[in-house]
Structure formats: structure tokens, C-alpha cells
Amino acid sequence: MEIPAPLRLRVDRDALVSNWQAMDRMSGTAACGAAVKANGYGLGATLVAQTLAGAGCRDFFVANWAEALALAPLGLTLSVLHGLRAEDMAAAMAGFARPVLSTPEQVARWREGGGGACDVMVDTGINRLGVSVQAVADGLLDGLAIETLISHLACADEDVPMNARQQAAFAGLKGRTRARRMSLANSAGIGLGADYHFDLTRPGLALYGGIPRPDMAGPLRQVARPEAQILQRRLVPAGETVGYNATWTAPADTEVAILNLGYADGYRRALSGLGAARADGVVLPVLGRVSMDLVAVDVTARPDLAEGDWLAMDYDLAAASAASGVSQYELLTGLGQRFARG
């Protein structure tokens, strides 16, 4: 028996393509790939990858081998950013994705296992994953069939001297390996200019409608629109409260809709009293605390709305992040599995 999902996540494919095309234009002569890790930043990795492949994207990045396996039927060029554990060798040798090697042990494991083409992560200052610049200079990667030499910026969303230091360290590796391409810039890194683009860029947040830097807001469009169903409409008399801890008191008789949505679905508690739904352009403010599975909104302005109707949540990422203090990345990737995506 198939039960209709209680929540919907509308993915605007045209906006997704438009955002990728904007990042592609900004990348100049560099190819523009796409980070589709964390289930396509919460939107659905298969949906996102198919859409972007149709638009011309040719390089896709996931976090781990389970994510790569899920996308394998699409026949895309996939790179696995978290590298190559011993447990991953069988999957890596199957050939549906390339490992992004990030430690001397992984390099040795790949060599000894007879691996072919790979990518390699170099740490230029973020101190997360990656072999050292010095190790590359000392010949650690000699003889490897490297498709893409990769590094990652720590502060691309800020204008700080560290960006230039990382760019210079990475640029200094040109010609030091057999890598066919070099890749440094994420979404925000693309906005730092041509010196950061190298041969391949790897946007993530910007594809999904997030604003990685204030100066990049112009061409980017909202992609994800959560929708929730009204479970009950009720009149809350003046002076009564709504929700846990009675944080909102009705200043006058107020028509309230209780929606089938809560923080278990990724609609964050931090949006309590700050978020809103929309109905044909009419803003319907969130009232009181967001609870695990329910949220209340003021529907006084829409007397026509009733039990069973659907409302779109106001989910502009930059605005919601500024209001709640929750990062745009978390607002996206936290969207739960109770949403039907499409």
C-alpha cells in the first residue's frame, strides 16, 4: 500500500540549471562541475545529477562510496571526496567512481591494489583532508595516473589574506605531478576570480540557491521550496497561547493553521516566531515554537484555507539563515526524509 507523503519538497529544476549555468559562466575557461554530496544537498542526488547532466555538467563530487554507488546507474563521472579506506577498495576497483586520495596510506593502498585513474586532495591550509604540499614536492604522487589534483579553500566566503596564500600554494604545484587538471574553487571560490578557477570548479551551495558571498547574489535563484499540509485550522481567542512554553500570546482573536512540519523534518526550531509560510504571495507568520512534527502559522489573512490544503514555506536560504543564525548549508542538508522530492 502506498501512502502519500505528508510533506513535499518542490525542486525547481529550471532554477537549478540556471544556477549551474551562472556558475559555469563565472568559471570562465574552467569546466564547471557540481557537488552532489549529502543527497544533493538535501534535494535528492539522483534528481539533481540527472538535471545537471542534462544541462551539460560532466564532473560530479560525492562524499563517500555509498553516495557514489547510488548514482552509479546514471553513468556519470564521479569523484569520491572522502578517499579510499581499506573497506572501499572493492567499490573503487569496480570503476564507477574515482577515489580522491588524501593520505600517503591511501596512495600506497591504491598503488598496491593496482588502481588506475584517481584524483588527489592536497592540503593548502584548511587542515582537513589532503596530502601536504611538501609531500607532493618530495615525489609522493610520482607515477600516479591523476585525473584531477584538488585542494579546498578555508575562507572563500571572506576576503582574507589566507585565500591568496592557498591559491599561491596550489598554483606552485603546476607541473609537479601528472595531473591532467587542477581544481581549487568551491562556490565562493568561483567568486574570488579567475586566478582561483584553474581547470575545474566545484560549486555546491550556489547550485541550490544559497548565496556563498554577498557579491554573488544577483544571478542565483531559489531552488528548494518545502510544502506542508494543514492538519487543523482553529480560532485562538485573544489572550490564549500557542505551542510549547506558551511563547506566543494572541493579541486578538487569531485564525491559526497547524502544519504537518517540524524540526524532525529539518524546519529548524531556530525559526520559531521568525519563519513564515506563503499562500499566493500572502505572508503567513510562524507563531510560537516550532515543535518536532508541527508548526503553527497565522492564517487570519486567508479565510479560504482549510484542513488538507498545502502551504509553501518561505525558505529563501540567505534570509532564513540571517533570521535564524543557522547556516544555509544546514538549512538545506537537514531537510528530512518525510518529504516527497520532485
Side-chain angles (χ1 to χ4, degrees):
M1 178 170 55
E2 185 174 346
I3 300 174
L7 294 166
R8 302 189 298 217
L9 183 64
R10 297 296 191 191
V11 179
D12 187 335
R13 291 171 173 81
D14 290 339
L16 180 65
V17 168
S18 175
N19 291 343
W20 180 79
Q21 290 172 336
M23 293 298 97
D24 188 36
R25 289 192 299 271
M26 290 183 66
S27 297
T29 59
C32 184
V36 294
K37 58 186 180 176
N39 194 28
Y41 279 52
L43 274 61
T46 297
L47 181 156
V48 169
Q50 285 180 322
T51 301
L52 294 182
C57 184
R58 294 294 176 262
D59 297 274
F60 296 87
F61 297 85
V62 296
N64 58 47
W65 288 92
E67 291 183 344
L69 182 61
L71 292 177
L74 301 182
L76 305 174
T77 299
L78 301 169
S79 295
V80 180
L81 292 165
H82 289 186
L84 186 71
R85 306 172 303 160
E87 299 94 322
D88 300 323
M89 275 299 293
M93 295 302 290
F96 56 82
R98 289 194 305 269
V100 182
L101 308 176
S102 60
T103 69
E105 291 79 9
Q106 290 181 16
V107 170
R109 183 175 296 127
W110 191 240
R111 288 185 196 276
E112 292 163 7
C118 63
D119 300 330
V120 175
M121 177 71 71
V122 181
D123 176 30
T124 55
I126 194 172
N127 279 304
R128 295 195 313 181
L129 299 178
V131 300
S132 70
V133 172
Q134 186 61 51
V136 176
D138 291 343
L140 174 67
L141 309 181
D142 289 357
L144 278 183
I146 303 172
E147 173 64 22
T148 310
L149 192 68
I150 296 172
S151 192
H152 195 68
L153 294 160
C155 305
D157 55 345
E158 303 174 291
D159 293 319
V160 295
M162 187 176 185
N163 293 328
R165 291 198 301 270
Q166 286 194 262
Q167 191 277 342
F170 194 56
L173 295 176
K174 285 183 178 179
R176 303 299 293 267
T177 73
R178 294 171 57 189
R180 192 174 75 83
R181 303 183 299 182
M182 298 178 70
S183 177
L184 176 64
N186 56 1
S187 292
I190 292 171
L192 292 176
D195 288 346
Y196 291 80
H197 297 165
F198 291 89
D199 305 302
L200 171 66
T201 61
R202 312 185 310 273
L205 179 67
L207 301 179
Y208 307 104
I211 309 301
R213 293 171 52 88
D215 54 5
M216 296 176 71
L220 299 176
R221 295 164 52 187
Q222 183 175 348
V223 176
R225 290 178 170 82
E227 296 181 351
Q229 204 167 19
I230 297 175
L231 294 177
Q232 185 176 15
R233 181 181 177 121
R234 62 192 308 127
L235 175 67
V236 177
E240 292 200 11
T241 63
V242 168
Y244 284 124
N245 302 113
T247 60
W248 181 84
T249 302
D253 290 357
T254 305
E255 293 286 341
V256 175
I258 308 302
L259 306 185
N260 198 355
L261 175 72
Y263 58 75
D265 305 299
Y267 193 77
R268 302 296 289 267
R269 197 167 184 260
L271 291 167
S272 298
L274 298 172
R278 285 182 182 265
D280 300 322
V282 178
V283 176
L284 310 172
V286 167
L287 305 176
R289 288 270 167 83
V290 174
S291 55
M292 184 180 293
D293 311 296
L294 299 169
V295 65
V297 299
D298 184 345
V299 291
T300 305
R302 288 296 302 266
D304 56 308
L305 292 173
E307 181 177 332
D309 289 340
W310 289 81
L311 294 179
M313 304 309 294
D314 195 349
Y315 216 66
D316 176 272
L317 292 173
S321 177
S324 67
V326 177
S327 80
Q328 296 176 71
Y329 297 88
E330 292 177 80
L331 290 171
L332 276 174
T333 61
L335 293 170
Q337 295 308 305
R338 291 191 287 202
F339 286 96
R341 287 161 164 80

